[in-house]
Amino acid sequence: AQSVTQLDSHVSVSEGTPVLLRCNYSSSYSPSLFWYVQHPNKGLQLLLKYTSAATLVKGINGFEAEFKKSETSFHLTKPSAHMSDAAEYFCVVSDTGGATNKLIFGTGTLLAVQP
Amino acid sequence: GAVVSQHPSWVICKSGTSVKIECRSLDFQATTMFWYRQFPKQSLMLMATSNEGSKATYEQGVEKDKFLINHASLTLSTLTVTSAHPEDSSFYICSARGGGLGDTQYFGPGTRLTVL
């Protein structure tokens, strides 16, 4: 069965400094992995997804993530944080072994950006 | 592209009444729609999966008679919370997949339900 673990519930960075949000996954199949962002009282926006093509995935708003099979990780990074990046981030794995390809969510990482 | 809307964005109702939430895919045909529930400061919990023209598949522990889901067309799914109670207060989010967009789910903006 697939699962995903977000290693930090809260991350705080200063504006202009790098962002690292950590995610480890467990999967019996070749996984599809996603990062979604949720701003307060809003729905989820897809940042990027990995589907067994290039291991370094570039997303929107300057975010990228690297799929590392040996480490079962899919960490999200951004070189320079903006105030607008403050939000909740979810690492998600798709249950590709199931008929419905359900999404399995991590518990989320709340990113705070200090001025 | 791949825009999903929800209506209403927030609703307040009295205990015992029923509330209907709509989820629409605006620019693609959604063969599958999903309904999630999110409690404050928690992750999303999948409630049910619905395919157009079929009965919804509910996750374990979700009462199908309380949370009625209808997916009558390729662009519309509805969630009706029947006889709502304060413990049903939550943020309900739908997502949609299909229209040649692969297995990516596109999420609506959510509906905040408060039951008094």
Side-chain angles (χ1 to χ4, degrees):
Chain A
Q2 277 90 335
S3 67
V4 62
T5 302
Q6 291 184 246
L7 300 165
D8 307 294
S9 59
H10 291 83
V11 170
S12 182
V13 301
S14 298
E15 190 175 22
T17 64
V19 175
L20 169 64
L21 305 183
R22 298 183 294 166
C23 173
N24 286 100
Y25 70 92
S26 173
S27 176
S28 303
Y29 308 91
S30 295
S32 291
L33 293 159
F34 308 79
W35 276 97
Y36 283 89
V37 61
Q38 184 181 32
H39 287 91
N41 295 311
K42 302 290 186 184
L44 277 72
Q45 181 183 20
L46 178 67
L47 281 178
L48 49 82
K49 65 177 180 178
Y50 166 78
T51 53
S52 73
T55 56
L56 182 62
V57 183
K58 293 189 183 299
I60 63 172
N61 300 336
F63 285 94
E64 62 182 38
E66 186 172 7
F67 174 74
K68 291 187 177 180
K69 186 175 181 179
S70 61
E71 298 177 9
T72 61
S73 69
F74 190 58
H75 301 334
L76 182 71
T77 60
K78 182 173 181 178
S80 176
H82 289 205
M83 296 295 290
S84 59
D85 293 329
E88 185 94 31
Y89 291 79
F90 292 98
C91 182
V92 183
V93 63
S94 179
D95 179 13
T96 53
T100 59
N101 284 356
K102 294 188 291 188
L103 295 185
I104 299 166
F105 283 78
T107 50
T109 298
L110 183 63
L111 175 65
V113 181
Q114 309 299 328
Chain B
V3 179
V4 177
S5 70
Q6 279 184 244
H7 178 80
S9 55
W10 58 271
V11 57
I12 301 172
C13 69
K14 293 182 178 179
S15 187
T17 61
S18 294
V19 174
K20 180 183 285 189
I21 303 170
E22 292 186 349
C23 176
R24 293 181 185 273
S25 57
L26 299 185
D27 52 2
F28 68 102
Q29 294 187 321
T31 49
T32 307
M33 285 185 167
F34 303 82
W35 286 96
Y36 295 84
R37 184 173 180 176
Q38 185 180 31
F39 291 103
K41 301 188 186 301
Q42 293 189 27
S43 191
L44 277 71
M45 180 192 80
L46 179 64
M47 299 175 66
T49 302
S50 73
N51 292 297
E52 185 265 339
S54 303
K55 288 185 177 180
T57 302
Y58 290 80
E59 295 299 301
Q60 192 171 10
V62 178
E63 299 176 61
K64 61 179 68 176
D65 294 331
K66 180 163 189 63
F67 298 100
L68 301 178
I69 292 171
N70 183 280
H71 191 169
S73 78
L74 285 172
T75 59
L76 174 64
S77 176
T78 60
L79 167 68
T80 301
V81 183
T82 61
S83 186
H85 290 282
E87 58 266 29
D88 299 323
S89 299
S90 191
F91 195 51
Y92 292 88
I93 305 176
C94 74
S95 70
R97 185 181 71 199
L101 299 174
D103 63 352
T104 300
Q105 291 184 28
Y106 295 91
F107 285 80
T111 296
R112 172 75 60 193
L113 170 63
T114 301
V115 185
L116 302 177

